[in-house]
Structures are given as C-alpha cells and as structure tokens.
C-alpha cells in the first residue's frame, strides 16, 4: 500500500508568507475602497446549476466550452464551480427579489475555478474581487465603477504602469452592424486564420479581435472598427463616460479592438493592463452587460461591473513583509507563565499586537525574541525569588507604545 502524500491539484496554490500578506492587503484595500463608494457586500455560493453559467456566458465562449468545472451531484443534477461572479449575482438578483434595491451596488471576493493551462498568473483556482451595479442604465454607473477601480489601483500603490484601455461596443444595433462587417472582412481571409478563429467566424466574430494567436493578429489591425457603426445614442453614451472619467481625473486610452467576448455586452468595455506581468497582463476587466438578465429569463435590466484577479494584483504589489509584532512577551521562568498570558491578553485587548514566547530553553527565550524582532520586548523573570518585569524598547520613536509598556512595568512591580 502506498503511503505517499497526495499532491495539491495542478493549478491550485497554497499561499503563504509575504505572498499571503500581499493577497490580504489587496482584499483589505478593496474592502475599504468599496465602502467609500457605498457598494454593499454580498457572499455568493461557490457553485450554481450549470445553466446559470451556460445561459449567461453563452455556449460559444471559451469559459463555457472549455474551462468549466462541471459535475453531477449525487442527486443527478449538473452543477458547476463558479468560473466568475457576475452570473451568480445576476441569478440572485432575479431569484431573491433584489430588484427592490435597484440600482443595486454590490461587491464581493472569493475563489473561482477554470480549467486552464496553469502558468504564472493563470491558475485553475484563482481569486477575484468583483463589483457590480445592477439596474442602472446611465453612463454615470460606468464612470463610478471605473473611478473606483482607478482609486483601488492607486491605493494599492500599483497604478504606475497600469493603463485603462477603454472601448465601446455600442448599443444592440451598432454592435450588430459591426458584427456583420467583421464577418464579411474575416470571411475573405478565413483560410489564413487560426482554427479557433475560423470556428468563431460565424458564431462570435468579435472574439477574433481578442485572439492571442499570431496567425490572427495581422488581420486584426485592419479590421473594421466599431466607430464606423456607432449610432448617435451610442456615441453620446460613450462621450458621457469619457467626460466623466476626465472630470474625475482618471487617465484612459482608447482601445478600438478591445472586446468582451460575451454576447450580452453593450456600450462600455474596459481592461486595466500592464506589461509588468508578461503574458498575463490584464489585471482588471469589465463592462456593461445590459443583455444578461434577459438571457437568464428576467426582464431587461441594465447592469455594469468589473472583476480583477487578486493573484495578479498581489504580484504587482510585490513582497509584502509580514508586520513585526508590537510586543513580544517573554516568559523567562515557567512559574510566570500565567502572568505572561495575562500581560499578552491585556495588550491585545488594547489593540497592541503581541506574541508570547514561553517555550524552549528558558535561557534562550530572550535571545529568541530579539531575533524574531518586535517594536518592544517585555520580559518576565524571577529575581531573587520575586517576580519582575522589564521592557526593552526596540524603537524609541514609538513613544505611545513605550509609555504604555513603562506603565505596565510600574504597575507590575507595584504589586
Ligand atoms: P484572460 O484574458 O487573462 O484569460 P479573462 O478575460 O478570461 O482573462 P475575466 O473573465 O475578465 O478574464 O476575469 C477578470 C480578471 O480575472 C482577469 O483580468 C484576471 O486578472 C483574472 N483571471 C481570469 N482568469 C484567471 C486565471 N485563470 N488565473 C488567475 N487570474 C485570472
Ligand atoms: Mg480567460
């Protein structure tokens, strides 16, 4: 019988140390920023009926056709581990009566699952932060989401070298006219396109523009542009988005070939991209998905949202050292263990972070604490048969902390 330890699943990560701190920093910053913009927190199930994703994303998308983790549960129902948040949130909006809160601004974060080829910045279990505005058809909603994304990147300290690429896909009529022109254009060179793009040609020609295959790229440069097909309303909508961004001081560049693959996207489409992450350069993407609710059987409901990969954001944040403890409480004599526990608990209740060192060789505990590093060390020992406490400030600049510890020491020796 084999006693080998089972390995982790390919494409999953055990995140630890500085990487885990960077991950937590991304989530904490997102939580702070979404509150500034008054987005309400939601928690969503990790799995849904498969139809929630196949109907909202569309059968022709890469996610549905090749990337979903779908399985039958013991009751014979087809379920899927969520590959994205939007579809589940849209489902909840319809099934839970969230229409009463429209326009509804919601935010969440958590794991997603896609069967992809694992590489740097691309995993089979990854994590996103996500923000959606449902039931708002005005361009201000797009602007608010984009300004929030921009502020988030700035507060994460990674805005330099990340650019907002912005496009419009127009309204339904503009998009349909563009689609027809793209089919005509690509049909003429069909034989030279990649197999994937030949396949996309009739079903989802916009996706060819998104192709990363070098065989497709030369044709994409001269492909028809959406600008030639935009209705007056669609132009006006886009102008309101861009003037809002300018008013808020958010830099953007026009990316006329940027598409979101899914059929229900309308008007605004955007990505924040960087060249600092190699091939996996898109950190945040989103757009307006006015057609989605109908695909799920609801009534027409405008909506817009974005999602960002936490791992990719954390990679840009870089090594985030684990913070030093404020205080290490060293119990140098086992008889003083309960005093040590009492001191450490008291400090923590006051909001001071504390670590207790009370194991291993008693003689070496103080040295161990010095080596671990902290802003101060509080040591408990027996001196001539009497309990005594002393502290060593490791950072003179932290006056408030040092004064607090001096007071604790005075209090202790007064007993
Ligand atoms: P890509 O073009 O990189 O495959 P996508 O268009 O499939 O991205 P979205 O569905 O828009 O990605 O998801 C939004 C964000 O989630 C991406 O910009 C990226 O930061 C992150 N993301 C998507 N797939 C993965 C993955 N497999 N591993 C890590 N992060 C991912
Ligand atoms: Mg993808």
């Amino acid at each position: 019988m084999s006693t080998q330890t089972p390995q982790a699943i390919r494409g999953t990560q055990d995140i630890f140390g500085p990487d885990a701190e960077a991950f937590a920093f991304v989530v904490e910053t997102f939580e702070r920023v979404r509150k500034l913009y008054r987005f309400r927190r939601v928690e969503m199930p990790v799995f849904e009926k498969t139809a929630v994703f196949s109907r909202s994303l569309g059968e022709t998308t890469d996610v549905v056709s090749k990337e979903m983790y779908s399985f039958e549960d013991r009751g014979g129902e087809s379920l899927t581990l969520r590959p994205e948040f939007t579809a589940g949130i849209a489902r909840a909006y319809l099934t839970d009566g969230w229409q009463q809160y429209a326009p509804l601004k919601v935010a969440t974060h958590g794991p997603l699952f896609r069967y992809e080829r694992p590489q740097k910045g691309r995993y089979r279990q990854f994590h996103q932060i996500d923000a959606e505005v449902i039931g708002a058809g005005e361009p201000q909603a797009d602007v608010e989401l984009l300004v929030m994304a921009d502020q988030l990147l700035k507060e994460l300290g990674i805005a330099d070298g990340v650019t907002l690429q912005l496009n419009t896909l127009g309204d339904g009529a503009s998009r349909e006219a563009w689609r027809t022109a793209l089919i005509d254009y690509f049909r003429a060179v069909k034989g030279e396109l990649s197999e994937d793009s030949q396949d996309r040609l009739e079903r989802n020609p916009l996706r060819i523009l998104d192709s990363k295959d070098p065989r497709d790229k030369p044709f994409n440069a001269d492909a028809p542009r959406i600008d030639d097909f935009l209705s007056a309303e669609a132009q006006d909508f886009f102008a309101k988005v861009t003037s809002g961004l300018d008013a808020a001081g958010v830099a953007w560049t026009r990316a006329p070939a940027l598409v979101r693959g899914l059929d229900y996207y309308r008007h605004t489409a955007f990505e924040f991209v960087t060249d600092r992450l190699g091939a996996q350069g898109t950190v945040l993407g989103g757009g307006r998905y006015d057609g989605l609710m109908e695909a799920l059987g609801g009534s027409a409901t405008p909506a817009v949202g974005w999602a960002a990969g936490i791992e990719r954001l954390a990679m840009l944040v870089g090594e985030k050292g684990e913070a030093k403890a404020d205080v290490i409480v060293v119990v140098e004599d086992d008889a003083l263990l309960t005093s040590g526990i009492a001191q450490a608990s008291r400090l923590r209740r006051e909001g001071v972070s504390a670590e207790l060192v009370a194991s291993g060789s008693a003689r070496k505990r103080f040295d161990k604490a010095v080596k671990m590093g902290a802003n101060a060390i509080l040591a408990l020992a027996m001196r001539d048969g009497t309990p005594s406490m002393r502290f060593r400030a490791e950072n003179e600049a932290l006056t408030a902390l040092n004064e607090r510890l001096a007071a604790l020491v005075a209090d202790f020796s007064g007993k």
Side-chain angles (χ1 to χ4, degrees), residues 145-162:
L145 273 163
L146 282 163
V147 179
M148 177 165 86
D150 180 77
Q151 182 166 350
L152 173 72
L153 297 176
K154 286 182 175 139
E155 300 213 2
L156 289 172
I158 58 175
D160 276 355
V162 179

Side-chain angles (χ1 to χ4, degrees), residues 131 150 236-237 343 349 381:
D150 180 77
D236 181 54
F237 191 99
Q343 296 296 344
R349 281 196 287 263

Side-chain angles (χ1 to χ4, degrees), residues 63 114 116 121-124 126 128 212 260 271 280 282-285 307-309 311-312:
V63 172
R114 294 184 193 176
E116 300 209 65
R122 191 175 293 286
Y123 313 100
R124 289 182 174 176
F126 63 101
Q128 284 180 344
K212 285 152 193 153
R260 305 289 296 166
E271 286 179 349
Q280 270 57 252
T282 305
V283 291
L284 185 152
E311 289 85 352
R312 293 187 196 175

